[in-house]
Amino acid sequence: MSEKTSNTDVSLPADNAAGEDEDNPKQQQILDGARKMFLSKGFEGTSMQDVARAAKVSKGTLYVYFDNKESMFNALVLKECGRMHETVRRIGVGVGPVEEELCLIARRMIEALLEREVLAAMRMMIGAAETFPDLARNIYAAGPMRTILLLGEYFELRCSQGDLLIDDCKEAGAEFVDLLLAGLQRRALLMVPPFTDAEIDALVKRRVSRFLAAYAPPDTGKE
């Protein structure tokens, strides 16, 4: 089942959902402390007092910025997602060969999603999803679904330029994410030794080629 058809009821947070005060030094100090505690004690094992100690602030100061540890975790994830999404926007401008741009987008997505802290956050959220389902849904909306929508917008641009022929660009975005990450995240989450950079580059080229073979305009063929 694709991402699109199984999650159309997930509401998407705004791009700045990590908070209007994300550049506030005190808030960043708290988030840095929260990151340390989540990575060392896990999500469910971390208390607000733990974060206050790690951030070197009082619990009262903590509650000025965050209602609970769920909101802190959500802010951390949204910030990481925002960085990756900005990279996708910056690369996917539709001015170069579509295969070249898609390979670069794919490579940057893989690099971001296989970072140690991102994988640690994913493991924590998978373990805590039953206890904190709303948080899990929010993170899904901010991460995978936002990525799918951005890719869908990019595919719409490429279709308007005659580079691709796609009936449902959002669905194609979900297909691209699934095709690209199939196996890679699973290996990383289960601590299987990672592929080398050369192996990932080859994988990206193969999977982008498969995607374009399905959606290249029939009059021009694959680029």
Side-chain angles (χ1 to χ4, degrees):
M1 185 177 290
S2 73
E3 301 278 8
K4 175 197 172 200
T5 55
S6 61
N7 293 282
T8 52
D9 60 338
V10 176
S11 60
L12 292 169
D15 284 333
N16 65 346
E20 295 180 359
D21 299 324
E22 63 180 0
D23 293 326
N24 182 293
K26 185 62 68 175
Q27 177 172 301
Q28 188 57 53
Q29 181 181 339
I30 292 170
L31 288 177
D32 288 342
R35 180 184 289 107
K36 291 176 184 175
M37 296 313 302
F38 288 140
L39 289 174
S40 63
K41 300 185 70 172
F43 179 76
E44 294 189 78
T46 296
S47 68
M48 293 291 274
Q49 185 60 52
D50 291 330
V51 175
R53 278 196 298 267
K56 295 181 173 58
V57 299
S58 67
K59 284 187 71 174
T61 299
L62 211 62
Y63 285 109
V64 169
Y65 294 94
F66 299 100
D67 294 334
N68 47 45
K69 66 178 182 180
E70 292 95 316
S71 62
M72 284 187 282
F73 190 84
N74 194 54
L76 286 168
V77 172
L78 289 181
K79 181 168 278 192
E80 292 303 316
C81 290
R83 290 193 186 101
M84 184 182 76
H85 295 155
E86 182 56 36
T87 298
V88 172
R89 290 189 189 95
R90 188 171 64 251
I91 297 171
V93 293
V95 297
V98 62
E99 185 169 9
E100 185 176 300
E101 277 192 355
L102 266 185
C103 282
L104 190 52
I105 288 172
R107 195 65 170 89
R108 295 295 179 266
M109 285 175 58
I110 288 173
E111 288 171 358
L113 292 170
L114 297 187
E115 287 182 359
R116 184 182 69 87
E117 289 192 4
V118 173
L119 291 169
M122 290 180 65
R123 293 187 191 100
M124 278 187 273
M125 201 62 261
I126 290 170
E130 286 192 20
T131 306
F132 302 97
D134 289 340
L135 176 60
R137 283 191 287 267
N138 286 341
I139 289 173
Y140 178 81
M145 281 303 298
R146 177 74 68 186
T147 301
I148 287 168
L149 290 179
L150 287 173
L151 287 169
E153 291 171 3
Y154 173 70
F155 294 148
E156 287 175 358
L157 172 63
R158 283 298 191 170
C159 286
S160 71
Q161 296 176 170
D163 301 317
L164 297 173
L165 183 62
I166 302 174
D167 291 331
D168 189 332
C169 289
K170 181 181 175 183
E171 176 69 10
E175 290 174 359
F176 185 77
V177 171
D178 288 343
L179 177 63
L180 177 64
L181 297 179
L184 286 177
Q185 275 191 330
R186 183 167 57 248
R187 287 173 60 94
L189 288 169
L190 296 176
M191 309 300 288
V192 176
F195 290 127
T196 65
D197 285 344
E199 288 173 327
I200 291 178
D201 286 339
L203 178 148
V204 164
K205 289 180 181 179
R206 287 196 306 271
R207 294 185 180 181
V208 167
S209 293
R210 289 173 191 165
F211 181 84
L212 293 178
Y215 290 116
D219 57 331
T220 60
K222 187 182 72 172
E223 291 190 17

